[in-house]
Amino acid sequence: MERVVVRELRTVSRTRTFVVLGAALAAVLVGIAWVGGGVRAGFVPTVVDLLTPLELLVPIVAVAFGYRAILGDRRRGELDVLDTYPIAPRELVIGVYVGRAVGLLGTVVVPLLLVAGAVFVGREEPFGRYASHAGADSPILFARFVALTALFALSILAVALAISALVSGTRSALALSVVALVVLLVGLDLALVYGFANGYLGDSSLVHALAVSPLSAYRGLVFESAVVTASGTGPRTASPVASLLGLASWTGTSLAVATWAIKR
């Protein structure tokens, strides 16, 4: 499995598309934080500025990293070659996932760290000023935001790997990836809104039902752990435990599907 991880890391490092994605993401995030005023206002305002763009950009970047990962091996005949080696399909999937995850995390996390650095430099209010308020603007809150964004990215990457293992052609992979993005970014949220509007979901159950959608789970976790915490007050936006379990379930189930697809 270690060799698979190293191979994927080598592939990621040699693919210019991923480098361009990282540079573009960094430029977009720093630009949004600067133009929106978050850089001068503090860490929590920056989180609020970046949350909506990241809800769209992170899934796109994650799918770009994973939608051809296993498909490429199949089309080059490498899966047939790997059958002759003592490596189980599960180990192959995990190796590919870990290697791609390292590259994805670098692409997503590094731009966010650049934004954090910009906030340190451009912040107009000193930390001592915030310490006198009930809600404190802290780099710790931004660190939570970065960690949750990484978990969200890893969950979508697992979905992309499952797609890569299920399809047999590049066009099919691209088409199914687009469908998956639409479902993840719009479909599940619309289903939750429909259920709530028609009384199928009550106020108490909605915060737990949000865990069904990885996007809603991510959004709720960010609000619960960074935004509402900083303000000190506010309505409950999600169940942290249910949301974390939801992201973990999407990741685990997708990797299991990818393993099954390779075995068939």
Side-chain angles (χ1 to χ4, degrees):
M1 186 175 68
E2 292 81 4
R3 292 184 178 180
V4 176
V5 174
V6 172
R7 184 199 64 173
E8 293 301 319
L9 289 174
R10 188 179 298 114
T11 299
V12 169
S13 64
R14 293 177 177 176
T15 304
R16 294 181 179 179
T17 302
F18 298 147
V19 177
V20 172
L21 276 176
L25 184 62
V28 169
L29 295 184
V30 172
I32 291 173
W34 186 267
V35 173
V39 168
R40 295 178 294 277
F43 288 101
V44 174
T46 301
V47 169
V48 176
D49 286 345
L50 295 182
L51 179 57
T52 299
L54 284 173
E55 289 176 358
L56 173 64
L57 295 175
V58 167
I60 292 175
V61 173
V63 167
F65 266 82
Y67 84 101
R68 291 184 59 186
I70 296 176
L71 172 63
D73 288 343
R74 176 178 289 113
R75 298 190 67 184
R76 291 189 299 268
E78 292 186 18
L79 289 183
D80 295 331
V81 174
L82 289 173
D83 283 339
T84 64
Y85 287 82
I87 179 172
R90 176 178 57 85
E91 294 175 325
L92 174 63
V93 170
I94 293 176
V96 172
Y97 178 71
V98 171
R100 297 281 170 151
V102 172
L104 175 61
L105 290 179
T107 302
V108 172
V109 172
V110 170
L112 290 174
L113 295 180
L114 291 176
V115 172
V119 175
F120 267 114
V121 174
R123 190 183 66 254
E124 295 178 349
E125 297 290 344
F127 284 121
R129 180 76 173 274
Y130 289 112
S132 64
H133 292 70
D137 185 88
S138 167
I140 295 177
L141 299 179
F142 194 84
R144 293 178 183 176
F145 172 59
V146 173
L148 292 172
T149 303
L151 289 177
F152 178 49
L154 292 176
S155 179
I156 303 302
L157 175 63
V159 174
L161 283 185
I163 293 172
S164 180
L166 287 169
V167 299
S168 57
T170 302
R171 290 185 179 180
S172 300
L174 185 58
L176 190 54
S177 296
V178 172
V179 172
L181 283 174
V182 172
V183 171
L184 293 174
L185 296 178
V186 181
L188 292 177
D189 278 7
L190 287 178
L192 290 171
V193 171
Y194 177 83
F196 181 72
N198 288 274
Y200 299 114
L201 295 173
D203 292 337
S204 58
S205 59
L206 180 61
V207 294
H208 296 89
L210 291 175
V212 173
S213 164
L215 180 61
S216 294
Y218 166 62
R219 184 189 304 121
L221 283 169
V222 171
F223 273 102
E224 283 290 321
S225 63
V227 179
V228 175
T229 298
S231 64
T233 59
R236 190 183 184 194
T237 56
S239 168
V241 174
S243 296
L244 287 173
L245 288 175
L247 290 178
S249 297
W250 274 96
T251 303
T253 302
S254 297
L255 294 179
V257 170
T259 302
W260 169 81
I262 292 176
K263 287 181 178 179
R264 62 176 181 170

